Amino acid sequence: MPSNALLVTLGGIGDGPLPVADNEQYAADATKNYHGVPLAVMRPRTTSELVEIVRSCAAAEVSIVPRGGNSGLVGGAVPVDDEQSVVVSLEKMRTVRDIDLVSNTVTVEAGYLLVELQELASNNNRLFPLRHAGLSSQVGGNLSTNAGGTNVIRYGMARNLVLGLEVVLANGAVWNGLNRLPKDNTGYDLKQLFLGAEGTLGIITAAKLRLFPAPKLQRTAWIGVASCAAAVDLLSRCRTELDEFLSTFELMNRNAVERYLNGRRAPLAGSHEWHILVVVTATSDRIPLEETLLDVLAQANADGVVEDAVIAADDQQERTLWEIREGIPAALIEDPTCIKGDTGVAVGAVAEFVTVTDAGVRALLPDAEIVTFGHVGDGNIHYNVVRPDSMEPQEFAGYGSDIMRVIETTALDLGGTISAEHGLGQKKMRRFADVVAAEELDLMRLIKGALDPLGIMNPDKLVDMRVPQANAVPIQE
Amino acid sequence: MPSNALLVTLGGIGDGPLPVADNEQYAADATKNYHGVPLAVMRPRTTSELVEIVRSCAAAEVSIVPRGGNSGLVGGAVPVDDEQSVVVSLEKMRTVRDIDLVSNTVTVEAGYLLVELQELASNNNRLFPLRHAGLSSQVGGNLSTNAGGTNVIRYGMARNLVLGLEVVLANGAVWNGLNRLPKDNTGYDLKQLFLGAEGTLGIITAAKLRLFPAPKLQRTAWIGVASCAAAVDLLSRCRTELDEFLSTFELMNRNAVERYLNGRRAPLAGSHEWHILVVVTATSDRIPLEETLLDVLAQANADGVVEDAVIAADDQQERTLWEIREGIPAALIEDPTCIKGDTGVAVGAVAEFVTVTDAGVRALLPDAEIVTFGHVGDGNIHYNVVRPDSMEPQEFAGYGSDIMRVIETTALDLGGTISAEHGLGQKKMRRFADVVAAEELDLMRLIKGALDPLGIMNPDKLVDMRVPQANAVPIQE
């Protein structure tokens, strides 16, 4: 039986596999919605150990599931079947290989934690701007999933923060594309293939990342508005008046804020249908940052766009505002019955998306608890439906797929996407294959087939290789 | 003979081929260094006309050379052989398909001129920040070559300005990836394959691009420094003190400025080894932009980093400073004997790159006229060597390859690139294949082979499919 032979081989690589009894710890992710017991769990300490592992799995034609910090929401790092895949955890590859404060770059290995990287940058008077709810996440996982979060409006997704990558390919060859520059026009931009590919084309082992100057000034505001349209209006005003300072523009509906205050005092005295968290930062401390922000808010208030607003007076108040915002996804993850949306539409269509989706969801479930929050600056609204306290979990579960269909269909009808930042993983792979154009699925399959001909790299994630579309136009005729 | 049959077929598509007599106009590019007479020149007006052209060429296995505004410097849009390729000029696909001022996006066809797009944005109180010397360039060409220029330090290369693409693939299928959002994590980021691919994987027919708010304030400074190291020092100061305003940081050596003043008055009274053009812009007009810039310059002057500096007092002075900067590449393009470098290194290595290259070039040609200018913020220095007035063109030409080798080898030894922004085209395809790691060339060939199995899309550009490396590790074992 090849898998036994493989286990023997793996036993000779590095620390060898984890004791079988520990495999269960790697069978699920943070969502608890996916479960697959690994055939073995390997934790390479170096790129060359990973090469040996990949070559061995390729020889045995056993699939590999790379795993980072386990904070994904779509089952991307969980095997789809029991005891069929080797889980490769990057947790032991944690070296900071280089930091260059003149060129503003840092090179770290895949298992380095995002929070460690944020701290390393900060200790060097720099900023690594990627910030999201996945506090356990590792750099490799953030890049493999092209993580987003609350600073995308200014700094872009994880993809935009990468200069170079080191990747172990499906045949065990190592592509060393680390040594890249902000400008390098020699051939195809190969790193883009692996960023956001969820480990289906290769395993990212290290990355050269961009650093930014640490801001010297920062102001954080909490704003109440009456409608989603008013929020988009305020966003446009912020773009026009202080675009280069705008780091965060987060939207939350009343439910999101009121349900998860957890005893904290509400930032605003009155009651508002929608709440906005705005952060502006400046590199120079000569900038009248607070005055500029106040001007925009005052004018928006005078124009009836903003109902009320407060600017955090100190770090403690600032932390409290963030605790409210970040408490929302944290609470939703703890609720396994919650229906979690991750759709995106053009900023100009956000208000319509919310109105149409609300109507569709209420038609299905009149007393649905709708919890909406997200990154309106990117058109990425997390539309969630929480079980009404009055309803039994089992009954609520029966509405799940219909409600999710309403959320996704509304986004698609508005030219949007069914996954703005969480990715496809196993959660949305088939749904995406159903809604994507045939030519696009063909291109994805073509690339997957070319880089991973044996299909061993995180199979049944992201790209559905199984069901050819009836209307597919083959790329090669 | 298939090519005759093909010409008959092409005759039935759209306006048909250009009169044969006009083919010569499409046989060269702006550099005049490359020449290849097209078998036929097609100018499709629509994507579907281009589809017909590509399908016909694929059926006849005749290669296709896409052509934009003809401002490239590496022969990417010129056939490599006479009468073997159909040149497809995108010049008639010029429609603005959509502009969305809430989402800040614009969708244009490939033949639309960059200068038209800059003006369209400006007329809508927006900025499309791509700016470079190729004034005839078209949007499609800018994206296919991932154009850079003088605003990269703030806005990134052309790649960073793209949300979505429409591409005609090698088999004539159309991938419609136009409708994309700032955040969309559904599968591989396919557009990245075609950006910077020089038409070797498909032909970009339209693009959805990002727009930015038009700056309300702008200041332009001309600065004299004694060394390249001082320029990098000043750059770090600007990053730390006014990073979010820094749009342009261009470096020029004394030769570059003095040779090409063309009678204009020098911006600074004294004589300086190196000159810097800095542009800072702000969205808000409340920002003390000039004061902040002056502070940085005054401090740098007090610290002995800056020798002298002047800030343009009005638009006319600003235009003059830009005329000096942009006159340099313009003059070099007119000089066919000039040896033009486009290397890049990490910002921290720029000073060493210049010192080492100067020594190497002078060792070959003591009275070489070295003209150095470029985008130091991106580590991209255009190192050019101009024929001494005393030397005959033929004699100077004899030094060409040795001098270019010194420039490129120095960059490579410092971990740099042989093409930071101009691309590979036919000029550097083989050189790149010689210096790149085997695994990287294999990956490029694998992708080229998968997307263009017949090898008809702009062959013998960018990726060298002919010479397999001795030490190549095949991706599929």
Side-chain angles (χ1 to χ4, degrees):
Chain A
M1 179 176 166
S3 69
N4 282 348
L6 172 62
L7 290 175
V8 173
T9 314
L10 295 178
I13 302 173
D15 299 334
L18 268 189
V20 175
D22 300 342
N23 284 357
E24 179 60 33
Q25 298 169 28
Y26 290 78
D29 64 11
T31 69
K32 307 279 186 296
N33 293 332
Y34 310 93
H35 192 277
V37 181
L39 173 65
V41 177
M42 296 295 289
R43 299 180 299 169
R45 292 162 304 190
T46 64
T47 302
S48 35
E49 280 183 12
L50 179 56
V51 166
E52 289 184 72
I53 294 165
V54 172
R55 288 189 186 277
S56 308
C57 290
E61 298 200 20
V62 168
S63 61
I64 300 170
V65 178
R67 183 178 177 100
N70 196 28
S71 63
L73 300 175
V74 293
V78 178
V80 292
D81 302 310
D82 286 337
E83 294 172 359
Q84 300 302 306
S85 311
V86 171
V87 165
V88 172
S89 169
L90 282 301
E91 67 201 79
K92 287 185 176 177
M93 290 188 65
R94 304 175 27 77
T95 306
V96 177
R97 292 192 187 172
D98 175 64
I99 182 163
D100 176 344
L101 297 179
V102 176
S103 306
N104 284 305
T105 60
V106 60
T107 303
V108 299
E109 292 185 336
Y112 200 60
L113 297 181
L114 173 60
V115 290
E116 291 176 306
L117 180 55
Q118 291 164 338
E119 191 181 352
L120 175 69
S122 163
N123 294 342
N124 286 278
N125 196 30
R126 298 292 187 276
L127 172 74
F128 185 73
L130 189 64
R131 175 175 185 166
H132 57 71
L135 296 181
S136 66
S137 70
Q138 301 169 4
V139 169
N142 278 287
L143 301 187
S144 295
T145 57
N146 187 29
T150 53
N151 283 337
V152 171
I153 188 172
R154 179 161 175 181
Y155 298 98
M157 307 276 283
R159 179 185 306 277
N160 302 52
L161 306 174
V162 180
L163 289 172
L165 292 179
E166 177 186 85
V167 179
V168 176
L169 304 171
N171 65 341
V174 178
W175 172 56
N176 185 338
L178 272 181
N179 187 20
R180 285 303 191 280
L181 306 161
K183 286 173 79 171
D184 185 342
N185 249 351
T186 49
Y188 309 134
D189 192 356
L190 297 172
K191 68 176 179 290
Q192 307 287 356
L193 282 170
F194 304 101
L195 296 166
E198 300 178 358
T200 59
L201 301 179
I203 301 174
I204 295 172
T205 48
K208 182 178 175 185
L209 303 162
R210 296 171 63 197
L211 295 173
F212 297 81
K216 294 198 195 69
L217 283 181
Q218 172 161 322
R219 288 296 181 274
T220 303
W222 193 278
I223 300 150
V225 296
S227 70
C228 205
V232 173
D233 183 326
L234 180 63
L235 173 67
S236 294
R237 292 162 181 257
C238 290
R239 285 265 193 220
T240 312
E241 295 305 320
L242 37 73
D243 186 63
E244 55 267 87
F245 308 116
L246 191 61
S247 298
T248 298
F249 194 102
E250 297 287 297
L251 185 66
M252 297 148 274
N253 73 352
R254 178 205 295 266
N255 263 351
V257 173
E258 293 180 358
R259 273 183 81 100
Y260 304 114
L261 272 177
N262 294 329
R264 296 187 201 83
R265 214 173 90 250
L268 301 173
S271 173
H272 307 277
E273 280 308 307
W274 295 88
H275 299 250
I276 302 167
L277 177 69
V278 168
V279 179
V280 289
T281 68
T283 302
S284 167
D285 48 19
R286 298 196 33 147
I287 305 307
L289 192 61
E290 181 161 337
E291 296 80 345
T292 309
L293 178 58
L294 282 171
D295 279 0
V296 173
L297 294 174
Q299 186 60 53
N301 180 256
D303 297 344
V305 172
V306 160
E307 292 179 330
D308 193 9
V310 60
I311 295 183
D314 53 36
D315 296 359
Q316 178 50 48
Q317 287 189 12
E318 203 170 281
R319 271 194 299 276
T320 307
L321 297 181
W322 271 108
E323 281 168 18
I324 297 171
R325 163 63 183 82
E326 291 180 335
I328 298 166
L332 293 177
I333 286 207
E334 293 308 309
D335 173 1
T337 68
C338 169
I339 296 152
K340 302 184 185 69
D342 175 40
T343 52
V345 296
V347 173
V350 165
E352 184 178 359
F353 165 75
V354 170
T355 309
V356 174
T357 311
D358 283 351
V361 169
R362 298 223 178 279
L364 286 168
L365 191 60
D367 57 353
E369 295 274 358
I370 296 168
V371 174
T372 312
F373 72 98
H375 326 289
V376 69
D378 319 306
N380 175 200
I381 300 298
H382 297 297
Y383 193 105
N384 307 282
V385 180
V386 177
R387 178 172 59 87
D389 305 331
S390 58
M391 186 178 279
E392 288 308 311
Q394 201 161 3
E395 183 188 357
F396 181 68
Y399 290 93
S401 60
D402 287 348
I403 289 176
M404 184 57 83
R405 188 58 59 102
V406 167
I407 299 170
E408 293 180 350
T409 305
T410 308
L412 291 169
D413 291 348
L414 291 169
T417 172
I418 63 169
S419 183
E421 63 178 356
H422 295 166
L424 297 175
Q426 32 181 315
K427 181 180 184 182
K428 296 182 178 176
M429 178 186 76
R430 299 203 185 292
R431 172 75 170 135
F432 179 68
D434 290 340
V435 301
V436 69
E439 296 80 3
E440 182 158 333
L441 190 59
D442 290 336
L443 273 174
M444 288 173 59
R445 287 172 169 156
L446 196 71
I447 290 158
K448 169 72 172 176
L451 269 70
D452 179 23
L454 300 175
I456 60 170
M457 303 305 288
N458 210 9
D460 299 309
K461 313 285 169 65
L462 188 133
V463 53
D464 187 347
M465 300 296 283
R466 291 192 230 175
V467 193
Q469 292 194 331
N471 59 336
V473 179
I475 180 98
Q476 182 166 7
E477 290 181 315
Chain B
M1 179 176 165
S3 68
N4 283 348
L6 174 61
L7 290 175
V8 173
T9 314
L10 295 178
I13 302 174
D15 299 333
L18 267 189
V20 175
D22 299 342
N23 284 359
E24 179 59 33
Q25 298 170 27
Y26 291 78
D29 65 10
T31 68
K32 307 279 187 297
N33 294 332
Y34 310 92
H35 193 277
V37 181
L39 172 66
V41 177
M42 296 294 289
R43 299 180 299 167
R45 292 162 304 190
T46 63
T47 302
S48 36
E49 280 184 14
L50 179 56
V51 166
E52 289 184 73
I53 295 166
V54 172
R55 287 188 186 279
S56 307
C57 290
E61 298 201 21
V62 168
S63 60
I64 300 170
V65 178
R67 184 180 176 97
N70 196 29
S71 63
L73 300 175
V74 293
V78 178
V80 291
D81 302 310
D82 286 337
E83 294 172 359
Q84 300 302 306
S85 311
V86 171
V87 165
V88 171
S89 168
L90 282 301
E91 66 200 80
K92 287 185 175 177
M93 291 189 64
R94 304 175 27 76
T95 306
V96 177
R97 293 192 186 173
D98 175 65
I99 182 163
D100 176 343
L101 297 180
V102 177
S103 307
N104 284 305
T105 61
V106 60
T107 304
V108 299
E109 292 184 338
Y112 199 60
L113 297 181
L114 174 60
V115 289
E116 292 176 305
L117 179 54
Q118 291 164 337
E119 191 183 349
L120 174 70
S122 164
N123 293 342
N124 286 280
N125 196 30
R126 298 293 188 277
L127 172 74
F128 185 71
L130 190 64
R131 175 176 185 165
H132 57 72
L135 296 181
S136 67
S137 69
Q138 300 170 4
V139 169
N142 278 288
L143 301 188
S144 296
T145 58
N146 187 29
T150 54
N151 283 338
V152 172
I153 187 172
R154 179 161 174 181
Y155 298 97
M157 306 277 283
R159 180 185 305 278
N160 301 52
L161 306 174
V162 180
L163 289 172
L165 293 179
E166 176 187 85
V167 179
V168 176
L169 305 171
N171 65 342
V174 178
W175 171 55
N176 185 338
L178 272 181
N179 188 22
R180 286 303 190 279
L181 306 162
K183 285 173 79 171
D184 184 343
N185 250 353
T186 50
Y188 308 135
D189 192 356
L190 296 172
K191 67 176 179 290
Q192 307 286 356
L193 281 171
F194 305 101
L195 296 166
E198 298 179 1
T200 58
L201 300 178
I203 301 174
I204 295 171
T205 48
K208 181 178 176 185
L209 303 162
R210 297 169 64 198
L211 295 173
F212 297 80
K216 295 197 194 70
L217 282 182
Q218 172 161 322
R219 288 296 181 271
T220 304
W222 192 279
I223 300 148
V225 295
S227 69
C228 207
V232 172
D233 183 327
L234 180 63
L235 172 67
S236 294
R237 293 162 180 258
C238 290
R239 285 261 193 224
T240 313
E241 294 305 321
L242 37 74
D243 186 64
E244 54 266 89
F245 308 117
L246 191 62
S247 297
T248 299
F249 194 101
E250 296 289 295
L251 185 67
M252 297 148 273
N253 73 351
R254 177 205 295 267
N255 262 351
V257 174
E258 292 179 359
R259 272 183 83 98
Y260 304 113
L261 272 177
N262 294 329
R264 299 187 198 82
R265 216 173 89 253
L268 301 174
S271 172
H272 307 278
E273 281 307 306
W274 295 88
H275 299 251
I276 303 167
L277 177 69
V278 168
V279 179
V280 289
T281 68
T283 301
S284 166
D285 47 19
R286 296 195 35 144
I287 306 307
L289 192 61
E290 181 162 337
E291 297 79 344
T292 309
L293 177 58
L294 281 171
D295 279 0
V296 173
L297 294 175
Q299 186 60 53
N301 179 257
D303 297 344
V305 172
V306 160
E307 293 178 332
D308 193 9
V310 60
I311 294 184
D314 53 35
D315 295 358
Q316 178 50 47
Q317 287 188 13
E318 203 171 280
R319 271 193 300 277
T320 307
L321 297 181
W322 272 107
E323 281 168 19
I324 298 171
R325 164 60 183 84
E326 291 179 337
I328 299 166
L332 294 176
I333 284 205
E334 294 308 310
D335 174 0
T337 67
C338 169
I339 297 153
K340 303 183 184 67
D342 175 40
T343 52
V345 295
V347 173
V350 165
E352 185 178 359
F353 165 74
V354 170
T355 309
V356 175
T357 311
D358 283 351
V361 169
R362 297 224 178 280
L364 285 167
L365 190 63
D367 58 352
E369 295 274 358
I370 295 168
V371 173
T372 313
F373 72 98
H375 325 290
V376 69
D378 318 305
N380 175 200
I381 300 298
H382 297 297
Y383 193 104
N384 307 281
V385 180
V386 177
R387 179 172 59 88
D389 305 332
S390 59
M391 186 179 278
E392 288 307 312
Q394 203 162 5
E395 183 188 358
F396 181 68
Y399 291 93
S401 59
D402 288 348
I403 289 176
M404 184 57 83
R405 188 58 60 105
V406 167
I407 298 169
E408 292 179 349
T409 304
T410 309
L412 291 169
D413 291 347
L414 291 167
T417 173
I418 63 170
S419 183
E421 63 178 357
H422 295 165
L424 296 174
Q426 33 182 314
K427 182 180 183 182
K428 297 182 178 177
M429 178 187 75
R430 296 199 189 293
R431 172 76 172 134
F432 179 68
D434 291 339
V435 301
V436 69
E439 296 81 2
E440 181 158 334
L441 190 58
D442 289 337
L443 273 173
M444 288 172 60
R445 287 172 168 156
L446 195 71
I447 290 158
K448 169 72 172 175
L451 269 70
D452 180 23
L454 300 174
I456 60 169
M457 303 306 288
N458 210 11
D460 299 311
K461 313 286 170 64
L462 188 133
V463 52
D464 187 347
M465 301 297 283
R466 292 192 229 174
V467 194
Q469 291 195 333
N471 58 337
V473 180
I475 180 100
Q476 182 165 6
E477 291 183 317

